[in-house]
Amino acid sequence: MSARDEILARVRAATADITTTKGERPAPVVVEETASSPEATLELFVERVADYRASVLRAQEHEVADVVAGALRDLGRTSVVLPDGLDPAWRAALEQVATVVPEGRGASAGALDAVDAVVTASALGIAVTGTIVLDHGPDQGRRALTLVPDCHVCVVRADQVVHDVPEAVARLGGQAHRGRPLTWVSGPSATSDIELQRVEGVHGPRTLVVVLVEHS
């Protein structure tokens, strides 16, 4: 049973004894399945990420290092902190455009605040919500790395993109129960002030760039 099916089964069980004011059972709610091809899922993911005012760059596997480095160069970011487990090829490309700060040297919030950007991999992308999920493995680093720097460049592979949240929860498995934190990111950090004016960068990066690595 999928996570989605389990949730629906619990809803049906919880509402089994509900009756209308006339003592009749309400008609069952029919939830239609929405088929989605991998290509459609990727396009939806790109669309929803862009809706959050994040940038999406598409790349083939052999282009990732250059695309990531180009994103930092185009944004004028001259320093970047990198998780210790990041792909060495990306690190080498980034060293050509910015001062690279290893994860260990960016240990304090003050040190991270002085860095322009962070580059990480990811655990998942969710198409329906335009969300990226980090499980803070070696290629993503500890949580503070993605919360303090002003810009986050995140690499998401096509085979990591799932359609919806139940599928994401099923794919993630028991990571949280094993003590691994999960960070769910939907666009750049943003909030509204008392006059409902959008303010970015209060709780995390003001700039989010998602590099989608497509199948060759």
Side-chain angles (χ1 to χ4, degrees):
M1 178 182 292
S2 69
R4 178 181 180 281
D5 292 337
E6 183 178 354
I7 291 170
L8 291 176
R10 290 182 181 181
V11 171
R12 293 188 187 100
T15 58
D17 295 329
I18 295 177
T19 59
T20 67
T21 54
K22 295 182 178 179
E24 301 171 347
R25 281 278 187 89
V29 176
V30 178
V31 179
E32 296 183 0
E33 294 286 347
T34 55
S36 180
S37 68
E39 294 76 14
T41 295
L42 288 182
E43 293 305 321
L44 179 61
F45 177 68
V46 170
E47 176 185 327
R48 294 294 166 85
V49 170
D51 283 345
Y52 283 115
R53 301 189 188 181
S55 300
V56 182
L57 304 175
R58 306 176 86 144
Q60 299 297 315
E61 182 68 43
H62 67 279
E63 301 172 321
V64 176
D66 290 338
V67 170
V68 170
L72 288 189
R73 183 180 59 248
D74 293 346
L75 290 168
R77 310 292 174 156
T78 58
S79 60
V80 59
V81 62
L82 303 180
D84 292 338
L86 201 67
D87 190 320
W90 304 358
R91 184 181 301 268
L94 290 167
E95 287 173 346
Q96 304 302 311
V97 299
T99 299
V100 172
V101 178
E103 182 175 355
R105 279 174 45 200
S108 69
L112 289 175
D113 192 44
V115 178
D116 291 339
V118 58
V119 174
T120 73
S122 61
L124 282 180
I126 306 174
V128 168
T129 59
T131 301
I132 57 175
V133 183
L134 310 175
D135 64 5
H136 300 286
D139 57 0
Q140 298 157 56
R142 68 187 192 281
R143 201 172 188 194
L145 257 63
T146 57
L147 296 179
V148 180
D150 191 57
C151 172
H152 182 190
V153 179
C154 184
V155 178
V156 181
R157 300 184 183 280
D159 59 6
Q160 293 179 306
V161 178
V162 298
H163 183 69
D164 54 23
V165 173
E167 189 177 351
V169 172
R171 179 87 69 93
L172 289 166
Q175 294 287 52
H177 297 291
R178 289 193 287 271
R180 290 278 287 274
L182 297 176
T183 300
W184 299 56
V185 181
S186 298
S189 169
T191 189
S192 296
D193 64 15
I194 195 170
E195 296 180 345
L196 299 182
Q197 298 297 312
R198 181 182 172 93
V199 180
E200 298 179 344
V202 177
H203 310 295
R206 285 186 301 171
T207 302
L208 174 65
V209 178
V210 175
V211 177
L212 178 61
V213 185
E214 302 185 88
H215 300 296
S216 300

